[in-house]
Amino acid sequence: MNAMLRETETAAPLAIHGLAHCYEGVNVLAGVDLVLEPGSVLGLIGRNGAGKSTLIRAMLGLLEPLAGSAFVFGEPALALSDACKARIAYVPQQPEALAWLSARQMLDFVGRFYPCWDKGFAESTLERWQIPPNKLLAKLSPGERQRVDLIRALASQPELLVLDEPAAALDPVARRELLREVALRAGESGTTVLFSTHIVSDLERVASEVAFLHQGKLLMRCSVDETKERYARLWLPARMSAAAPNAGLSRRRHDDGSLSLVVERDAQGRWPEAANLAGARVDALGLEDLFVEIAE
Amino acid sequence: MNAWQLLQIPWRSTYPSLRWFAVVVFVLCSTGAIAIGAFADGPGAMRGAVAMYGAGLTYLWAFFFSLGLLLAIDARQLRLPGIQRQINASLGLYGVLGIAVPLFAPGVDWSMAAVLALFSVVGLAFAVMPRYLAVVVALTPSLANALWSRLDLPGIDDPRFAPWAALIALVLLLVCAWRWRQLLSAGNRQPRGWSSPMVLQFRKGSWGHWNCIGDNSQLGQRPDWLQPGVDLTGVGPAKPRKSLRVALGGWYLPQTAGSYGKQFALMFGILAIPAASLVLLSRIKASGGADFTATLEGSLIGALSSLTVMAAPAICIFSLLWLGKRWQRANAELPLLALLPGLGNPAGVKRLVLRTVLGLPLALHGLLALLLGMVMLCWHGHAYMLSFMLLAQLGGAVVTTAVLLNLFGGRALPPWSIGLILVVAAALTMASLLLPALALGRHPMVQAMPLLPLLPLGWLLLAGAMAWLCRRGWRGLMQQPHPFLPG
């Protein structure tokens, strides 16, 4: 059974086990496990410095983690074959690659390496997104650079699209166009998408699943629609705080001694027992509130 | 604001490294001037003292006081009231002090004020004028020296020179004031490239562009006509080496024939200025009785030696800085290359990276060595002397290989370590240039001859250390899963 499970995981677009890494003695990733199902759109959310970029880079074999393993389409991330690479597209945060080329030259250059390169898409999107094709990348604004790199990623028609804060430098119009394109790819072509962000509305718009990364640990993962049903804030007055469940995702004590916890329904769909005490209150949480409650 | 606060303005508005270096230079120049004035005899003593102190003043105005402009620009951008007036007052106060204080020294004529003012204003002009004019300013001392001796003009200590100095200083001051206002009002639209003044180069706290090599911002500042024409013919999985060169950029970038032609023409154009000055100076000096051909030959050997002296460490530094930036950034070429299909398996990619990355700098070292070999064949008399230069070139190639291998092996050397290696290599290179010249030159120094065998020994020791570093880098590279991991 375990062997079968492992086989399924290793054939997944992305699978990581016990991934750990640190910079200058500070733990950035502390044993992260994650498997991405084909066709899913996973939004990775977390505060600045939570380890999102490091996790993404370790997943794709762009850094060698201190511990753990990462697989892309069943191949070790640090030794990907050309065939596997052709199925992946990755856009880093604030891309700066090949600044000495113009947008058209860069797309032409990169496109020659991808067997499924969609040249027409690249040309038409450059025009649609109003990016001067012959202007040097070094002379484009950060937002334009980001969009050129997104075109580069999408034109390769990847099966796995990994975007690190793709909307960080984009204006609202460009951000909406990007999200529409991502949703289209996921919906029509079955592209698996992993993107990191701290813009919660972006997650709600396109992600099918959300994963919270906090201080190097994956605190929770569930479908976006499920979060409202599955998680809530339990408020307990000071006199009842001793009855608080131990297994809360976050725990905050207020000045008046009352306690706020983020709690999860159990397998039978019930809130913890403390929620039924007189004076206790269960508040529904939106995705943003949930993020803030956990990350604070 | 009192005088003490005004004096503190430049001190507080510059980077510590720049400010302390300026102080050291000025103190050294002033001490030298006092020493010359106190201990030297003869008519040249005063001239030497004034020139020495003047050089210190020029440095201060070029590389320290001129930075007040950066503060003034920032203050104007931030709409801070009164700052510009205080900067002007501060500079005025320093200007008066720099000229007035030495006038109280015994034996100094008050007409020297004009000469010292000229030294100060030349420094300021060097800082605020466009950089293409700064190149000409840098050649001025040699040309002025030659012209003075040729035309028998009055020396700087001659009272007849004072009115001329005052007039030139006044004109330059007006030009500086105009330029200052122009740069101040330019705000974010400051001139770029060669039109940009020297003072704007100090924004990052360093003299020159060493820190900026490999920065994309530098590419953005370059005018379109100076951008290289990229040759993408044939790039793709069939030509991985050429493709990698495109991805590495800089001097690795394959360019069209026209683009190479343009770059070479520009380089020769720049080299033509010092070459023409060299010929001009040789002609002027030759008219005083010296043999023109001998002077020219000596100058050419000197220029060639200097070129190789500068080129060997420059190749190493440029390669390291450029590739270091590429191998540091997680959002630039590394992830693109790591995930680019068609480059082959990891072992093949490692070989490809090594061949491509080391190939160009080593070819340049080889080219310089070849040039030296050809010169040795042409000038048999100087072959022994030039063989030390050849040694320096080979030593430079070993250093380049060692530092680059460690970069790709994920064991990039810390800056202090690279600095130490470069200082040792530069010291050996300088010794390889100067010692043979002193021992085997036209007027040989007997004391220098016994030191010559130490040079190959020194290079051998450095090569041994570099061989150890090469092995360290190589083993690191072999242990890496692929070569596109950040260092």
Side-chain angles (χ1 to χ4, degrees), chain A residues 57 60-64 78 82 85 90 92-101 105 109 112-114 136 138-139 152, chain B residues 216 220 222 224 227 232 235 237 243 246-249 253 329-333 336 338-339 341-342 344 481-482 485-486:
Chain A
R57 288 170 53 216
L60 296 175
L62 302 175
L63 70 81
E64 200 172 3
L78 286 161
D82 281 342
K85 286 177 188 174
Y90 163 62
Q93 196 176 354
Q94 295 171 350
E96 287 185 6
L98 307 176
W100 41 88
L101 301 181
Q105 282 173 332
F109 167 66
R112 297 182 194 197
F113 291 87
Y114 287 90
L136 218 59
K139 295 191 175 187
R152 193 259 306 155
Chain B
N216 292 339
R222 212 184 282 172
D224 285 339
Q227 300 293 351
L232 290 177
V235 293
S243 305
V246 173
L248 291 175
L253 192 67
R329 291 183 181 160
N331 61 343
E333 291 75 31
L336 184 82
L339 296 174
H482 63 77
L485 293 170

Side-chain angles (χ1 to χ4, degrees), chain B residues 207-421:
Chain B
W207 196 89
H209 282 293
W210 292 110
N211 285 343
C212 302
I213 290 176
D215 276 352
N216 292 339
S217 57
Q218 287 289 306
L219 284 166
Q221 285 180 12
R222 212 184 282 172
D224 285 339
W225 67 271
L226 258 181
Q227 300 293 351
V230 187
D231 175 22
L232 290 177
T233 319
V235 293
K239 285 192 176 176
R241 196 167 171 184
K242 189 174 180 183
S243 305
L244 189 57
R245 284 174 57 207
V246 173
L248 291 175
W251 63 9
Y252 293 96
L253 192 67
Q255 298 177 36
T256 57
S259 178
Y260 278 126
K262 195 169 65 180
Q263 309 281 335
F264 278 118
L266 190 71
M267 195 175 74
F268 284 120
I270 292 170
L271 285 177
I273 298 172
S277 307
L278 197 72
V279 172
L280 182 71
L281 288 176
S282 305
R283 280 227 172 263
I284 290 170
K285 282 182 179 165
S287 64
D291 176 22
F292 173 66
T293 316
T295 311
L296 193 62
E297 186 178 318
S299 302
L300 275 174
I301 292 175
L304 187 68
S305 306
S306 307
L307 174 74
T308 52
V309 164
M310 282 157 52
I315 290 169
C316 178
I317 291 170
F318 187 83
S319 308
L320 185 66
L321 286 176
W322 182 269
L323 294 168
K325 292 263 168 77
R326 310 272 82 75
W327 255 258
Q328 269 169 7
R329 291 183 181 160
N331 61 343
E333 291 75 31
L334 277 194
L336 184 82
L337 285 167
L339 296 174
L340 197 67
L343 290 180
N345 60 37
V349 175
K350 282 179 193 173
R351 282 196 300 275
L352 174 72
V353 168
L354 279 183
R355 275 207 312 270
T356 313
V357 163
L358 286 176
L360 183 72
L362 292 184
L364 286 173
H365 280 299
L367 200 68
L368 284 167
L370 192 72
L371 191 67
L372 275 168
M374 283 163 62
V375 174
M376 283 161 75
L377 283 175
C378 294
W379 279 307
H380 296 293
H382 301 291
Y384 185 51
M385 197 157 77
L386 288 169
S387 65
F388 288 95
M389 289 283 87
L390 195 62
L391 200 62
Q393 201 55 243
L394 295 175
V398 177
V399 171
T400 305
T401 309
V403 292
L404 290 184
L405 266 178
N406 278 273
L407 178 69
F408 304 130
R411 296 176 179 188
L413 300 169
W416 67 265
S417 173
I418 293 171
L420 185 68
I421 292 169

